[in-house]
Amino acid sequence: VIDGRTGVTPEDEHFARLLRKSGKPLVLAVNKAEGSAGNDTVDDAYRLGLGEPLPISAAHGEGFADLY
């Protein structure tokens, strides 16, 4: 899970490198992406190389149907 308001951080990039090495299936969720607020971060999250980022909003309950 990354923060959609903060964007991709160096820490996110670090952990993404470790996770890619695991070879396990992953789901990358971008939280705080309600409405169009997280679109830029969702687009930027592709560069982490973890597949298609899933925009969610825990506060508003958005995106969880896709997550499940």
Side-chain angles (χ1 to χ4, degrees):
V1 175
I2 64 172
D3 187 321
R5 291 188 189 141
T6 303
V8 175
T9 66
E11 291 84 6
D12 295 330
E13 293 170 343
H14 170 78
F15 285 107
R17 279 191 299 276
L18 295 174
L19 291 168
R20 282 194 310 271
K21 290 179 185 178
S22 76
K24 307 260 181 191
L26 302 167
V27 175
L28 174 60
V30 179
N31 192 28
K32 301 180 185 173
E34 55 273 347
S36 62
N39 285 345
D40 290 339
T41 302
V42 171
D43 291 342
D44 195 30
Y46 276 100
R47 72 184 168 97
L48 293 174
L50 300 176
E52 183 175 355
L54 179 65
I56 64 170
S57 172
H60 294 90
E62 295 177 14
F64 283 89
D66 294 330
L67 180 61
Y68 297 136

